[in-house]
């Protein structure tokens, strides 16, 4: 089982460079389709969450996106939050990867109609955007407008 977990960790990490390749999705679909494969995915998640490094955070984020596409929302939320915790423990507070992770969590919570959580993450994302990009950057304006809409 360790070999399968290591292989899937590598594939998930690589998929960040290749924008979720067809190969990655096919491998995940194969794993998720059997009880043993589901156990492998659970072990993979646990191993990635324990590692606390940037490659693991990226793999968690990619796996979360796969789960979102397959309507496994609870699993996706856990992995997105774990990736954020890992990144915040390693990267500077205004790093673009933290911004992306905050934005992904905010959009996730909006899609789940959990607006108070969405506002929390959008507020943090907005601060990073203002710091990194300035008040008038399109990304900053988009996040500001989204936050304003949620607050009304």
């Amino acid at each position: 089982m360790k070999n399968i977990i290591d292989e899937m960790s590598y594939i998930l990490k690589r998929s960040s460079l290749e924008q979720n390749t067809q190969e990655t999705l096919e491998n995940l679909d194969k794993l998720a389709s059997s009880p043993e494969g589901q156990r492998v995915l659970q072990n993979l998640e646990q191993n990635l969450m324990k590692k606390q490094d940037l490659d693991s955070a990226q793999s968690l984020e990619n796996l979360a996106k796969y789960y979102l596409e397959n309507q496994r929302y609870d699993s996706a939320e856990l992995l997105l939050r774990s990736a954020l915790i890992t990144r915040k423990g390693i990267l500077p507070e205004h790093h673009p990867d933290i911004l992306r992770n905050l934005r992904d969590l905010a959009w996730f919570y909006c899609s789940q109609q959990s607006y108070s959580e969405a506002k929390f993450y959008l507020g943090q994302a907005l601060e990073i955007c203002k710091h990194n990009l300035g008040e008038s950057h399109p990304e900053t304006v988009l996040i500001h407008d989204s936050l304003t809409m949620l607050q009304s």
Side-chain angles (χ1 to χ4, degrees), residues 85-103:
I85 290 167
T86 298
R87 286 183 173 124
K88 282 186 166 186
I90 298 170
L91 297 171
E93 70 177 304
H94 294 108
H95 195 278
D97 287 349
I98 293 175
L99 169 62
R100 186 184 69 243
N101 212 158
L102 289 166
R103 195 180 54 224

Side-chain angles (χ1 to χ4, degrees), residues 109-125:
Y109 284 120
C110 279
S111 75
Q112 300 301 299
Q113 298 180 353
S114 298
Y115 300 118
S116 61
E117 289 92 348
K119 286 190 279 188
F120 174 76
Y121 290 108
L122 276 177
Q124 291 181 54

Side-chain angles (χ1 to χ4, degrees), residues 44-83:
L44 174 62
E45 291 170 23
Q46 292 169 358
N47 287 342
L48 290 171
M49 285 189 272
K50 287 179 191 173
K51 286 187 179 179
Q52 299 292 306
D53 61 46
L54 294 176
D55 285 341
S56 295
Q58 185 61 57
S59 294
L60 286 168
E61 184 178 347
N62 291 338
L63 187 54
K65 289 176 181 178
Y66 170 78
Y67 285 160
L68 286 172
E69 290 174 10
N70 288 279
Q71 300 175 353
R72 293 185 55 193
Y73 301 116
D74 290 343
S75 297
E77 176 186 15
L78 174 65
L79 298 184
L80 286 171
R81 291 175 67 132
S82 295

Side-chain angles (χ1 to χ4, degrees), residues 7 26 31 35-36 58 61 68 77 98 104 116 123 140 142 146:
E7 183 180 331
E26 288 170 6
L31 275 177
E36 182 180 342
Q58 185 61 57
E61 184 178 347
L68 286 172
E77 176 186 15
I98 293 175
D104 288 348
S116 61
T140 306
L142 175 66
S146 299

